[in-house]
Amino acid sequence: MISRREMLKGSLAAAAAIGTAGSTIFVPLRADAKAPLAGTQAPGYYRLMVGDVEVTALSDGTGQFPLADLYLNTTPEHARTALANAFQGTPTNVSVNAYLLNFGDRLVLLDAGTSDLMGPALGKLPANIIASGYHPDQIDDVIVTHIHPDHTGGLTLGGNKVFKNATVHVPAKDAEFWLSAENREQAPEGSKAFFDQAVAALKPYGNSDTLKTFAPDAPALPGLVNTTYRPGHTVGHSALWIESKGEKFVYWGDITHGDILQFDEPDVAIAFDSDPDLAIKSREAAFAEAVTEKYLVAGCHIAFPGIGHVREDATMYDWVPMNYQTAL
């Protein structure tokens, strides 16, 4: 009986003979493909529907941050161990995300990324907006969770508006704090740059009367985008949320930094919190609400696309990333 191996050899020999007889058939017996490493990722966007609203997660990039040394109410050694147990190193790759909402007749961006403030690994939001099929000039409104350079820095580049036709909406308490010359003067020397960056990001919009504020728990865009006041990270830090056809999507900004330690230990704060104790209370409230209501959550500093659910587990809470899907 002819073996499968012998049959394969015979087929290859026959094909080679046909090739020498002038046929165009060619059967390569080895591959020597060579190419340089590509060195880049695919464009950073991911799309889903929340009721009738199209939500596009957008990456501003990832940066390496010394999270283990920035966490409070713990030790760097414990934080490094917790991160290592989740196969995350130190420094840690941390995402900076934003979210674009298409209501059909209005295009709304939630947070604006970093621009050129935090190095070349970040600042990719405008390019990813374009890659996703939109353009920064099409955006009608930008709503920010809070005024920090990784959320408002991307509003401008070189002193010019990035979103030329947009109205920018910021928490009133943050605007009062970060745009105050008196607060800047009283701030520690190392914090003054945050005030300068806030002024630089918002000034072009203020000068053109396209800067608006919203009060705690008041809608940012009545009838479209609501807010929940979650202070502590900053004085005005707010979650932004929508509902459509019984589905709810909550973008909670900086309730967590990363998706490991603070879910297991919600009382771990971070050095960027203006009021760590209040930030902990806001995190606990946000976790409890997300578990009870089972809505989709998005986080600025959760691994891109940063969308999923929160559930309770044996060690407090657990982050459950949304299952990847190609169909909307």
Side-chain angles (χ1 to χ4, degrees):
M1 179 179 291
I2 299 175
S3 71
R4 184 178 177 204
R5 181 183 295 275
E6 291 171 328
M7 186 179 295
L8 179 59
K9 284 182 177 179
S11 298
L12 291 174
I18 292 172
T20 60
S23 168
T24 58
I25 297 175
F26 174 72
V27 180
L29 299 182
R30 58 181 291 179
D32 289 317
K34 295 180 180 178
L37 300 178
T40 58
Q41 297 285 13
Y45 69 90
Y46 180 75
R47 203 118 51 204
L48 69 151
M49 296 297 296
V50 176
D52 288 329
V53 182
E54 180 195 78
V55 178
T56 303
L58 296 161
S59 174
D60 190 61
T62 62
Q64 288 199 321
F65 294 90
L67 283 185
D69 297 315
L70 295 171
Y71 286 131
L72 307 177
N73 302 335
T74 186
T75 65
E77 293 75 21
H78 174 73
R80 278 193 287 271
T81 298
L83 291 167
N85 287 340
F87 306 99
Q88 295 186 22
T90 302
T92 308
N93 280 306
V94 178
S95 291
V96 177
N97 307 323
Y99 299 87
L100 187 63
L101 312 179
N102 189 340
F103 292 94
D105 59 354
R106 198 160 184 170
L107 205 55
V108 180
L109 179 66
L110 309 183
D111 277 346
T114 64
S115 189
D116 58 353
L117 297 180
M118 300 178 74
L122 292 163
K124 303 182 184 301
L125 182 61
N128 283 325
I129 290 174
I130 293 170
S132 77
Y134 295 104
H135 193 279
D137 291 354
Q138 293 177 286
I139 293 173
D140 299 294
D141 301 274
V142 182
I143 308 173
V144 301
T145 54
H146 63 293
I147 298 176
H148 267 171
D150 52 332
H151 299 259
T152 54
L155 291 170
T156 59
L157 180 62
N160 299 313
K161 292 182 180 181
V162 171
F163 307 101
K164 298 177 181 177
N165 300 306
T167 298
V168 174
H169 308 259
V170 302
K173 285 183 175 290
D174 263 14
E176 293 168 3
F177 181 80
W178 292 109
L179 301 182
S180 166
E182 182 179 352
N183 286 343
R184 182 194 183 281
E185 186 64 27
Q186 295 174 356
E189 199 61 35
S191 299
K192 292 187 188 299
F194 285 90
F195 291 86
D196 297 337
Q197 289 163 350
V199 171
L202 297 174
K203 186 176 180 180
Y205 297 91
N207 288 346
S208 61
D209 199 30
T210 53
L211 177 63
K212 298 186 181 300
T213 63
F214 55 88
D217 293 321
L221 288 176
L224 293 179
V225 181
N226 302 290
T227 76
T228 300
Y229 187 42
R230 302 286 192 207
H233 184 59
T234 67
V235 293
H237 183 271
S238 298
L240 311 174
W241 55 275
I242 61 170
E243 282 186 302
S244 178
K245 288 190 170 180
E247 298 180 16
K248 187 173 181 178
F249 172 87
V250 178
Y251 172 47
W252 68 17
D254 283 9
I255 285 293
T256 71
H257 290 75
D259 48 21
I260 303 299
L261 189 61
Q262 290 176 303
F263 284 90
D264 288 333
E265 303 175 49
D267 60 344
V268 171
I270 198 162
F272 302 122
D273 292 336
S274 62
D275 185 334
D277 290 339
L278 188 55
I280 291 168
K281 291 179 181 178
S282 287
R283 180 163 38 259
E284 291 172 340
F287 285 175
E289 184 182 275
V291 168
T292 299
E293 296 193 26
K294 295 181 170 60
Y295 49 59
L296 271 178
V297 172
C300 183
H301 301 304
I302 292 176
F304 184 78
I307 302 173
H309 292 87
V310 182
R311 68 182 177 189
E312 290 182 304
D313 66 6
T315 57
M316 291 298 287
Y317 296 98
D318 189 27
W319 172 252
V320 185
M322 183 181 183
N323 193 28
Y324 179 82
Q325 60 187 45
T326 56
L328 297 186

